[in-house]
Amino acid sequence: MRSLVSFVVLLFVAVVSAISTTGNRLLVVLEDVAEKEGYSKFLGDLEGRGFKLSIETPKSESLSLFHLGERAYDHVILFPTKGKGPNLTANLLLQFFGANGNILLTLSSGAATPSALVSLLTELDIQLPADRTGLVVDHFNYDSTSAPDTHDVLLLPAPGPLRSDIKDIFSAGAPANELIAFPHGVGAALGASELLSPILRAPSTAYSYNPKEQSEAVVDDLFATGEQLALISTFQARNSARFTLVGAAELFQDKWFDADVKKTGGKAVKTFNREFAKRVSGWTFQEIGVLRVNWIEHHLSEVGASNESNPKIYRIKNDVTYTISLSEWSWDTWNAFAVPKNDALQLEFSMLSPFHRLPLTHDAKQSNAEQAAYTSSFKLPDQHGIFNFKVNFKRPFLTNVEEKNTVSVRHMAHDEWPRSFVISGAWPWIAGIGATVTGWLAFCALWMYSGPVGGKKESKKTQ
C-alpha cells in the first residue's frame, strides 16, 4: 500500500513540477535592457529549461520583489549595474532570500559594486575590496589570445568537489581538454560561516588589485592572493534558499560560450563556460542538488509484536527499526539519492543529547529508481522519557534534511518484568530466602513438639 501511495505522489509531482523545484518566475536585472543581447545564449538556455524571464532595470518603476506580501518572483539574476534602485536595497534582497527566493549575483571589474549589494554581501560574511572593485590577474594561467598583456582572462579547469565526501556537481563529466574562461573578474574573501562554500577558487599564482589606483608593475597593497580569492562562491541558508556570487559577469556572455582560448605555449581549446554556466545557474535555482523526504517509518521489530507503523509510544529495551526514503531532483526528474562515498547518513535517538547515533544503511528491498530507502535497527535505551528520532543531514551543495519524530518511551509494566527465578543473578537471594524460611519452620516444629527435660518435682509442705 505504501509503495502505491509513493508512486502516486511521485507521479503527481512529476506532472505539476516546474524545472526548478521552487518555481519558474525569474527576474533578470540589467543596467540597460539592450544588454540582454550580449547574454542571449545564456538567457535562451534558461527559457529553454522552462523559466519565465522578466527583464528589468534597477530604476524601473514596475520592479518589485514582492506583491501583496508574497514573492513576485522565485529567482533573481543581478548583472552589474552602475546605480542602485529603490526596490533592490539590501534589506529587500535579504527579505526575498529569507522568503525562499534564490539570487544569482554577478560582478565585474569594470563597474564598482553598488553599496546596497556590498551591504548584502557583508550580511552573508562575504568581503569585497574596500574600494568595491578589483581585478584578478594571473601571469601563468591566462588566455594568450584575448589578454596577452593584461593577463586578466583566467583559464581554469572545471572545479572538483571540495572534499572526498561531497558530491561532484560542477565538474562531473567535464571534458579534460576544455577550460573555464574567467574574464575581467573580481575576487571575494569568504568568512568562517559554515553556510558558505566556494565553487571556484583562484590559482595560487593569482592576485587581486585595483587597476585604477595602482600600477600593475608596482602593487604594494593586495586585497588577497591565491586560494584566498573565491571567484565563484555560494551561500545556502538554513531554509535551503540559495545565493551565488559570480565574480565575472562576462563568463555568461555569448562571446565566451564555446570560444577558443589558449594558454601560453599550449594548444587552442574550447571553453567549458556554457555547460558550467548551466550548472551554476541550475544549482542556484534549485534544479539540481535538491533532496526530498518521501516517507519515514519506525516500528517494533520483535517476534510476536504488532509492529504497528509509527507508534507514539514504545517501552524501554524494545527492538525498533527506523527507515527513511530520500529522492534527489536532477534537472527534470526525481532520482534515488545515493549517499556520496566516504560520507554517511546517520540517525540520532536523543532526549537532550543522543543516546544512539547510528549509520543508516541502504535498503534495496524498499528502494527503486526514484527513491532510496535507508534503515537502521537498534534496541531502545533503559531510560524512559520523551525521545526523538532525528536525521540531520546538511552538506554543501545539497538542500538540508532535518527530520524529527517525537515518541514516548515508558518504563516496564509490573507484569512485563521477568520472574525472579528466571534471572540467574537472583538465585543466591532466592536460596537465602528459602534457607531462612526452612530454618524458621524447623525451629517452630522443634519448639512445638519437644517436651521439657526431666520429671516433675514435688514441692515440700511446710509444717
Side-chain angles (χ1 to χ4, degrees), residues 296-301 305-315 318-322 349 380 387 389 405-409:
I296 293 174
E297 182 185 37
H298 55 86
H299 59 81
L300 286 171
S301 56
S306 62
N307 295 339
E308 174 190 0
S309 294
N310 303 329
K312 297 296 183 181
I313 187 169
Y314 288 101
R315 193 205 67 204
N318 271 150
D319 292 321
V320 300
T321 298
Y322 177 94
F349 190 72
L380 296 182
F387 286 82
F389 292 100
N405 300 85
T406 303
V407 296
S408 298
V409 177

mmCIF file of all heavy atoms in Angstrom, residues 296-301 305-315 318-322 349 380 387 389 405-409:
data_model
loop_
_atom_site.group_PDB
_atom_site.id
_atom_site.type_symbol
_atom_site.label_atom_id
_atom_site.label_comp_id
_atom_site.label_asym_id
_atom_site.label_seq_id
_atom_site.Cartn_x
_atom_site.Cartn_y
_atom_site.Cartn_z
ATOM 1 N N ILE A 296 8.736 8.422 6.123
ATOM 2 C CA ILE A 296 9.511 7.949 7.276
ATOM 3 C C ILE A 296 8.677 6.905 8.008
ATOM 4 O O ILE A 296 7.467 7.093 8.205
ATOM 5 C CB ILE A 296 9.869 9.102 8.227
ATOM 6 C CG1 ILE A 296 10.851 10.069 7.560
ATOM 7 C CG2 ILE A 296 10.464 8.584 9.531
ATOM 8 C CD1 ILE A 296 11.149 11.302 8.382
ATOM 9 N N GLU A 297 9.302 5.826 8.401
ATOM 10 C CA GLU A 297 8.590 4.785 9.143
ATOM 11 C C GLU A 297 9.473 4.261 10.273
ATOM 12 O O GLU A 297 10.672 4.021 10.076
ATOM 13 C CB GLU A 297 8.196 3.629 8.221
ATOM 14 C CG GLU A 297 7.412 2.545 8.935
ATOM 15 C CD GLU A 297 7.129 1.345 8.050
ATOM 16 O OE1 GLU A 297 8.009 0.984 7.234
ATOM 17 O OE2 GLU A 297 6.035 0.763 8.167
ATOM 18 N N HIS A 298 8.878 4.101 11.450
ATOM 19 C CA HIS A 298 9.552 3.421 12.556
ATOM 20 C C HIS A 298 8.544 2.477 13.202
ATOM 21 O O HIS A 298 7.351 2.790 13.287
ATOM 22 C CB HIS A 298 10.131 4.423 13.568
ATOM 23 C CG HIS A 298 9.141 5.401 14.106
ATOM 24 N ND1 HIS A 298 8.331 5.139 15.193
ATOM 25 C CD2 HIS A 298 8.818 6.663 13.698
ATOM 26 C CE1 HIS A 298 7.573 6.189 15.446
ATOM 27 N NE2 HIS A 298 7.842 7.131 14.549
ATOM 28 N N HIS A 299 9.027 1.330 13.639
ATOM 29 C CA HIS A 299 8.117 0.337 14.203
ATOM 30 C C HIS A 299 8.908 -0.660 15.050
ATOM 31 O O HIS A 299 10.145 -0.723 14.981
ATOM 32 C CB HIS A 299 7.360 -0.399 13.092
ATOM 33 C CG HIS A 299 8.260 -1.117 12.119
ATOM 34 N ND1 HIS A 299 8.810 -2.348 12.376
ATOM 35 C CD2 HIS A 299 8.735 -0.756 10.897
ATOM 36 C CE1 HIS A 299 9.554 -2.740 11.367
ATOM 37 N NE2 HIS A 299 9.533 -1.768 10.447
ATOM 38 N N LEU A 300 8.172 -1.463 15.818
ATOM 39 C CA LEU A 300 8.795 -2.538 16.579
ATOM 40 C C LEU A 300 9.305 -3.612 15.630
ATOM 41 O O LEU A 300 8.704 -3.880 14.590
ATOM 42 C CB LEU A 300 7.784 -3.154 17.542
ATOM 43 C CG LEU A 300 7.405 -2.348 18.789
ATOM 44 C CD1 LEU A 300 6.237 -3.018 19.497
ATOM 45 C CD2 LEU A 300 8.586 -2.212 19.729
ATOM 46 N N SER A 301 10.385 -4.232 15.989
ATOM 47 C CA SER A 301 10.906 -5.354 15.203
ATOM 48 C C SER A 301 11.135 -6.531 16.135
ATOM 49 O O SER A 301 12.247 -7.024 16.284
ATOM 50 C CB SER A 301 12.201 -4.955 14.487
ATOM 51 O OG SER A 301 13.165 -4.485 15.418
ATOM 52 N N ALA A 305 5.153 -9.218 18.164
ATOM 53 C CA ALA A 305 4.615 -7.877 18.394
ATOM 54 C C ALA A 305 3.757 -7.459 17.204
ATOM 55 O O ALA A 305 3.869 -8.004 16.099
ATOM 56 C CB ALA A 305 5.743 -6.888 18.610
ATOM 57 N N SER A 306 2.900 -6.456 17.414
ATOM 58 C CA SER A 306 2.014 -5.992 16.349
ATOM 59 C C SER A 306 2.774 -5.258 15.250
ATOM 60 O O SER A 306 2.348 -5.231 14.107
ATOM 61 C CB SER A 306 0.942 -5.062 16.939
ATOM 62 O OG SER A 306 1.544 -3.909 17.515
ATOM 63 N N ASN A 307 3.924 -4.648 15.598
ATOM 64 C CA ASN A 307 4.762 -3.922 14.642
ATOM 65 C C ASN A 307 3.985 -2.850 13.878
ATOM 66 O O ASN A 307 4.136 -2.662 12.670
ATOM 67 C CB ASN A 307 5.428 -4.884 13.651
ATOM 68 C CG ASN A 307 6.404 -5.829 14.327
ATOM 69 O OD1 ASN A 307 6.886 -5.546 15.431
ATOM 70 N ND2 ASN A 307 6.688 -6.954 13.704
ATOM 71 N N GLU A 308 3.151 -2.107 14.589
ATOM 72 C CA GLU A 308 2.398 -1.007 14.003
ATOM 73 C C GLU A 308 3.342 0.089 13.531
ATOM 74 O O GLU A 308 4.331 0.406 14.182
ATOM 75 C CB GLU A 308 1.427 -0.451 15.041
ATOM 76 C CG GLU A 308 0.684 0.781 14.605
ATOM 77 C CD GLU A 308 -0.073 1.422 15.745
ATOM 78 O OE1 GLU A 308 -0.004 0.883 16.872
ATOM 79 O OE2 GLU A 308 -0.710 2.464 15.518
ATOM 80 N N SER A 309 3.038 0.695 12.370
ATOM 81 C CA SER A 309 3.898 1.753 11.821
ATOM 82 C C SER A 309 3.737 3.044 12.611
ATOM 83 O O SER A 309 2.618 3.468 12.918
ATOM 84 C CB SER A 309 3.551 2.006 10.350
ATOM 85 O OG SER A 309 3.860 0.879 9.564
ATOM 86 N N ASN A 310 4.880 3.660 12.932
ATOM 87 C CA ASN A 310 4.936 4.970 13.577
ATOM 88 C C ASN A 310 4.067 5.079 14.833
ATOM 89 O O ASN A 310 3.218 5.976 14.947
ATOM 90 C CB ASN A 310 4.541 6.064 12.580
ATOM 91 C CG ASN A 310 5.402 6.079 11.348
ATOM 92 O OD1 ASN A 310 6.579 5.733 11.394
ATOM 93 N ND2 ASN A 310 4.828 6.473 10.226
ATOM 94 N N PRO A 311 4.255 4.187 15.795
ATOM 95 C CA PRO A 311 3.507 4.334 17.054
ATOM 96 C C PRO A 311 3.995 5.538 17.839
ATOM 97 O O PRO A 311 5.106 6.023 17.634
ATOM 98 C CB PRO A 311 3.809 3.026 17.796
ATOM 99 C CG PRO A 311 5.143 2.601 17.260
ATOM 100 C CD PRO A 311 5.156 3.022 15.818
ATOM 101 N N LYS A 312 3.172 6.005 18.757
ATOM 102 C CA LYS A 312 3.523 7.169 19.567
ATOM 103 C C LYS A 312 4.245 6.801 20.852
ATOM 104 O O LYS A 312 4.801 7.674 21.523
ATOM 105 C CB LYS A 312 2.263 7.969 19.899
ATOM 106 C CG LYS A 312 1.555 8.555 18.675
ATOM 107 C CD LYS A 312 2.440 9.574 17.976
ATOM 108 C CE LYS A 312 1.712 10.219 16.807
ATOM 109 N NZ LYS A 312 2.566 11.198 16.092
ATOM 110 N N ILE A 313 4.237 5.518 21.207
ATOM 111 C CA ILE A 313 4.837 5.129 22.481
ATOM 112 C C ILE A 313 5.541 3.791 22.312
ATOM 113 O O ILE A 313 5.065 2.895 21.598
ATOM 114 C CB ILE A 313 3.760 5.056 23.595
ATOM 115 C CG1 ILE A 313 4.414 4.823 24.958
ATOM 116 C CG2 ILE A 313 2.700 4.003 23.293
ATOM 117 C CD1 ILE A 313 3.449 5.016 26.119
ATOM 118 N N TYR A 314 6.704 3.693 22.935
ATOM 119 C CA TYR A 314 7.464 2.451 22.999
ATOM 120 C C TYR A 314 7.764 2.142 24.460
ATOM 121 O O TYR A 314 7.438 2.924 25.359
ATOM 122 C CB TYR A 314 8.786 2.581 22.231
ATOM 123 C CG TYR A 314 8.658 2.618 20.723
ATOM 124 C CD1 TYR A 314 8.739 3.825 20.031
ATOM 125 C CD2 TYR A 314 8.483 1.454 19.997
ATOM 126 C CE1 TYR A 314 8.637 3.859 18.646
ATOM 127 C CE2 TYR A 314 8.385 1.478 18.618
ATOM 128 C CZ TYR A 314 8.456 2.687 17.947
ATOM 129 O OH TYR A 314 8.354 2.716 16.584
ATOM 130 N N ARG A 315 8.377 0.978 24.678
ATOM 131 C CA ARG A 315 8.797 0.563 26.008
ATOM 132 C C ARG A 315 10.315 0.460 26.029
ATOM 133 O O ARG A 315 10.931 0.209 24.994
ATOM 134 C CB ARG A 315 8.168 -0.793 26.352
ATOM 135 C CG ARG A 315 8.267 -1.211 27.806
ATOM 136 C CD ARG A 315 8.207 -2.714 27.926
ATOM 137 N NE ARG A 315 9.388 -3.332 27.342
ATOM 138 C CZ ARG A 315 9.439 -4.582 26.884
ATOM 139 N NH1 ARG A 315 8.369 -5.340 26.896
ATOM 140 N NH2 ARG A 315 10.556 -5.070 26.384
ATOM 141 N N ASN A 318 12.925 -1.987 23.925
ATOM 142 C CA ASN A 318 12.289 -2.538 22.730
ATOM 143 C C ASN A 318 13.278 -2.563 21.569
ATOM 144 O O ASN A 318 14.146 -1.692 21.453
ATOM 145 C CB ASN A 318 11.086 -1.689 22.318
ATOM 146 C CG ASN A 318 9.795 -2.117 22.981
ATOM 147 O OD1 ASN A 318 8.916 -1.313 23.224
ATOM 148 N ND2 ASN A 318 9.655 -3.388 23.288
ATOM 149 N N ASP A 319 13.137 -3.538 20.686
ATOM 150 C CA ASP A 319 13.883 -3.564 19.430
ATOM 151 C C ASP A 319 13.051 -2.836 18.376
ATOM 152 O O ASP A 319 11.892 -3.209 18.120
ATOM 153 C CB ASP A 319 14.156 -5.001 18.992
ATOM 154 C CG ASP A 319 15.120 -5.716 19.918
ATOM 155 O OD1 ASP A 319 16.087 -5.064 20.366
ATOM 156 O OD2 ASP A 319 14.899 -6.896 20.221
ATOM 157 N N VAL A 320 13.618 -1.797 17.759
ATOM 158 C CA VAL A 320 12.881 -0.979 16.794
ATOM 159 C C VAL A 320 13.679 -0.868 15.502
ATOM 160 O O VAL A 320 14.905 -1.062 15.474
ATOM 161 C CB VAL A 320 12.579 0.434 17.349
ATOM 162 C CG1 VAL A 320 11.739 0.358 18.601
ATOM 163 C CG2 VAL A 320 13.862 1.204 17.607
ATOM 164 N N THR A 321 12.964 -0.532 14.433
ATOM 165 C CA THR A 321 13.560 -0.299 13.116
ATOM 166 C C THR A 321 13.078 1.047 12.595
ATOM 167 O O THR A 321 11.877 1.345 12.648
ATOM 168 C CB THR A 321 13.184 -1.412 12.127
ATOM 169 O OG1 THR A 321 13.703 -2.656 12.601
ATOM 170 C CG2 THR A 321 13.752 -1.122 10.743
ATOM 171 N N TYR A 322 14.010 1.851 12.095
ATOM 172 C CA TYR A 322 13.712 3.177 11.539
ATOM 173 C C TYR A 322 14.126 3.178 10.072
ATOM 174 O O TYR A 322 15.228 2.734 9.725
ATOM 175 C CB TYR A 322 14.465 4.253 12.310
ATOM 176 C CG TYR A 322 14.280 5.662 11.784
ATOM 177 C CD1 TYR A 322 13.299 6.492 12.310
ATOM 178 C CD2 TYR A 322 15.086 6.168 10.767
ATOM 179 C CE1 TYR A 322 13.118 7.782 11.843
ATOM 180 C CE2 TYR A 322 14.921 7.464 10.294
ATOM 181 C CZ TYR A 322 13.939 8.264 10.833
ATOM 182 O OH TYR A 322 13.771 9.546 10.370
ATOM 183 N N PHE A 349 18.972 8.966 18.117
ATOM 184 C CA PHE A 349 17.846 8.757 19.030
ATOM 185 C C PHE A 349 18.219 9.481 20.317
ATOM 186 O O PHE A 349 19.106 9.055 21.048
ATOM 187 C CB PHE A 349 17.614 7.267 19.283
ATOM 188 C CG PHE A 349 16.344 6.969 20.010
ATOM 189 C CD1 PHE A 349 15.120 7.111 19.389
ATOM 190 C CD2 PHE A 349 16.366 6.562 21.335
ATOM 191 C CE1 PHE A 349 13.940 6.842 20.053
ATOM 192 C CE2 PHE A 349 15.191 6.294 22.013
ATOM 193 C CZ PHE A 349 13.970 6.437 21.367
ATOM 194 N N LEU A 380 16.168 0.146 22.164
ATOM 195 C CA LEU A 380 15.963 1.393 22.886
ATOM 196 C C LEU A 380 16.709 1.378 24.218
ATOM 197 O O LEU A 380 16.898 0.310 24.825
ATOM 198 C CB LEU A 380 14.472 1.619 23.138
ATOM 199 C CG LEU A 380 13.588 1.797 21.895
ATOM 200 C CD1 LEU A 380 12.147 2.065 22.313
ATOM 201 C CD2 LEU A 380 14.093 2.915 21.016
ATOM 202 N N PHE A 387 11.596 11.016 23.665
ATOM 203 C CA PHE A 387 12.759 10.881 22.785
ATOM 204 C C PHE A 387 12.402 11.318 21.369
ATOM 205 O O PHE A 387 11.225 11.435 21.003
ATOM 206 C CB PHE A 387 13.243 9.422 22.758
ATOM 207 C CG PHE A 387 13.968 8.990 24.001
ATOM 208 C CD1 PHE A 387 13.266 8.584 25.120
ATOM 209 C CD2 PHE A 387 15.351 8.990 24.055
ATOM 210 C CE1 PHE A 387 13.925 8.173 26.262
ATOM 211 C CE2 PHE A 387 16.023 8.591 25.188
ATOM 212 C CZ PHE A 387 15.310 8.179 26.304
ATOM 213 N N PHE A 389 13.448 10.564 17.190
ATOM 214 C CA PHE A 389 14.182 10.029 16.048
ATOM 215 C C PHE A 389 14.581 11.227 15.199
ATOM 216 O O PHE A 389 13.718 11.958 14.701
ATOM 217 C CB PHE A 389 13.306 9.091 15.226
ATOM 218 C CG PHE A 389 12.930 7.803 15.898
ATOM 219 C CD1 PHE A 389 11.688 7.642 16.487
ATOM 220 C CD2 PHE A 389 13.811 6.746 15.918
ATOM 221 C CE1 PHE A 389 11.329 6.454 17.088
ATOM 222 C CE2 PHE A 389 13.472 5.542 16.524
ATOM 223 C CZ PHE A 389 12.223 5.394 17.109
ATOM 224 N N ASN A 405 11.048 13.037 14.649
ATOM 225 C CA ASN A 405 9.818 12.364 15.044
ATOM 226 C C ASN A 405 9.887 12.072 16.534
ATOM 227 O O ASN A 405 10.805 11.386 16.992
ATOM 228 C CB ASN A 405 9.636 11.064 14.264
ATOM 229 C CG ASN A 405 9.550 11.296 12.765
ATOM 230 O OD1 ASN A 405 10.568 11.374 12.085
ATOM 231 N ND2 ASN A 405 8.347 11.430 12.251
ATOM 232 N N THR A 406 8.931 12.609 17.285
ATOM 233 C CA THR A 406 8.933 12.508 18.744
ATOM 234 C C THR A 406 8.074 11.329 19.196
ATOM 235 O O THR A 406 6.946 11.145 18.718
ATOM 236 C CB THR A 406 8.396 13.802 19.367
ATOM 237 O OG1 THR A 406 9.204 14.899 18.914
ATOM 238 C CG2 THR A 406 8.449 13.742 20.880
ATOM 239 N N VAL A 407 8.614 10.536 20.105
ATOM 240 C CA VAL A 407 7.891 9.394 20.674
ATOM 241 C C VAL A 407 8.123 9.369 22.182
ATOM 242 O O VAL A 407 9.081 9.956 22.700
ATOM 243 C CB VAL A 407 8.348 8.053 20.056
ATOM 244 C CG1 VAL A 407 8.024 7.993 18.586
ATOM 245 C CG2 VAL A 407 9.842 7.836 20.288
ATOM 246 N N SER A 408 7.233 8.673 22.882
ATOM 247 C CA SER A 408 7.383 8.455 24.325
ATOM 248 C C SER A 408 7.928 7.054 24.555
ATOM 249 O O SER A 408 7.544 6.107 23.859
ATOM 250 C CB SER A 408 6.036 8.608 25.035
ATOM 251 O OG SER A 408 5.511 9.908 24.875
ATOM 252 N N VAL A 409 8.803 6.944 25.531
ATOM 253 C CA VAL A 409 9.346 5.643 25.931
ATOM 254 C C VAL A 409 8.965 5.430 27.397
ATOM 255 O O VAL A 409 9.376 6.187 28.269
ATOM 256 C CB VAL A 409 10.876 5.585 25.750
ATOM 257 C CG1 VAL A 409 11.414 4.246 26.235
ATOM 258 C CG2 VAL A 409 11.243 5.811 24.285
#
